[in-house]
Amino acid sequence: MKRLLALMRKEFLQLRRDTITLRMMVFIPVMQTFIFGYAINYDVKHMKTIVLDEDRSYDSRELVAKMGASQYFEVVGTVDSFDELRRAMDTGKVSTALVIDRDYGESRRRGVPARALLIVNASDTTTSTQAMAIAAGIANQLSVRTLARKAGWKDASLPVDVRVRPWYNPDLRTATFIIPGLIAIILTFTLIQFTAMAIVRERERGTLEQLQVTPVTRLEIILGKLFPFVLIGVFQLT
């Protein structure tokens, strides 16, 4: 046990002298946590949207207002042709576009399906999938309320009112759930890398052969290299 503690003390002394490695062990995990934790963002909010409204009726404006009132779509303007819409999508000015059919309002009043088209930039599959799901949810709400009115439902609330309340991550922020997973990955990467560097450094300096002729065993040498970095890993985790 005394030999193992002596090896661990020797490793800590070497780390104290090697200021570059010590700084890397402190700053690299912090930088990786911030870079990966906040650069990776799957939050679908305030997607820039343009509208091609061929109907220009109360019903079409209601649909645009419903989408704009949510925190997911941000209506930044309107266009008068599909070519303008295509240019806006191609240049990356917007990520979604809503095209409302010219018979949208009349179809709703007649009780037949009213059609609208949502175009999504699917280069980011995660964002586009969530955007389509959100738009489908808005359309379903309008459809259900229209059917409820036709059925003579007088109450302001729908017959079935299921309310969702997310706990522990109420804002559904990506960083809240991705950073805890990154901690384990970063610790695995840094601890394996620096432990390997410590063993290689012994070989480069010729001190590994000196350790081999001392009374310590091979197992004690390995554990003496591992334990200091395990303690540093616990400190990094904290």
Side-chain angles (χ1 to χ4, degrees):
M1 189 62 183
K2 290 182 180 180
R3 296 196 298 264
L4 181 59
L5 292 176
L7 286 171
M8 293 174 60
R9 181 173 179 272
K10 166 188 169 297
E11 194 65 33
F12 278 118
L13 289 175
Q14 284 185 340
L15 283 174
R16 190 178 67 179
R17 297 190 189 103
D18 191 355
T19 56
I20 295 177
T21 302
L22 194 59
R23 290 172 185 172
M24 289 173 62
M25 295 185 69
V26 173
F27 290 111
I28 286 181
V30 175
M31 290 175 59
Q32 287 177 322
T33 302
F34 277 99
I35 291 173
F36 290 116
Y38 292 98
I40 302 173
N41 187 4
Y42 296 124
D43 297 341
V44 182
K45 291 183 179 179
H46 305 292
M47 291 179 290
K48 293 184 177 180
T49 307
I50 58 171
V51 178
L52 174 56
D53 188 357
E54 297 180 341
D55 185 41
R56 301 180 187 275
S57 64
Y58 169 81
D59 297 287
S60 64
R61 290 193 295 271
E62 181 188 18
L63 176 59
V64 174
K66 288 282 187 183
M67 295 186 66
S70 69
Q71 60 180 337
Y72 303 104
F73 298 97
E74 180 182 350
V75 179
V76 296
T78 59
V79 293
D80 297 322
S81 66
F82 197 82
D83 290 334
E84 292 182 50
L85 183 148
R86 185 188 295 276
R87 283 195 296 270
M89 293 286 290
D90 289 342
T91 55
K93 294 180 180 178
V94 295
S95 55
T96 58
L98 178 65
V99 182
I100 303 176
D101 189 76
R102 61 172 51 90
D103 298 325
Y104 179 84
E106 183 181 352
S107 298
R108 285 197 64 182
R109 289 188 293 271
R110 287 169 50 199
V112 298
R115 303 189 184 280
L117 171 67
L118 182 73
I119 302 174
V120 181
N121 183 354
S123 58
D124 185 347
T125 55
T126 303
T127 302
S128 60
T129 301
Q130 294 188 41
M132 289 185 286
I134 294 164
I138 294 173
N140 288 335
Q141 288 180 0
L142 287 172
S143 300
V144 170
R145 292 195 177 277
T146 301
L147 294 173
R149 284 199 303 267
K150 289 184 177 296
W153 184 260
K154 303 297 183 182
D155 201 306
S157 300
L158 295 175
V160 179
D161 187 7
V162 178
R163 302 191 180 188
V164 180
R165 179 174 296 174
W167 283 8
Y168 313 119
N169 186 11
D171 296 329
L172 302 179
R173 295 176 64 246
T174 303
T176 304
F177 76 88
I178 204 169
I179 287 180
L182 280 173
I183 290 175
I185 297 174
I186 292 171
L187 283 176
T188 302
F189 173 74
T190 55
L191 294 185
I192 291 175
Q193 180 184 19
F194 290 116
T195 305
M197 287 172 59
I199 296 175
V200 171
R201 192 182 302 113
E202 294 279 6
R203 188 63 179 264
E204 289 176 344
R205 294 174 179 174
T207 54
L208 187 61
E209 289 78 6
Q210 296 177 7
L211 284 176
Q212 291 175 343
V213 298
T214 58
V216 297
T217 63
R218 296 179 180 179
L219 179 62
E220 288 172 341
I221 292 175
I222 297 298
L223 294 179
K225 290 289 182 184
L226 288 176
F227 282 167
F229 292 98
V230 170
L231 294 177
I232 293 172
V234 173
F235 174 75
Q236 287 180 342
L237 177 64
T238 305

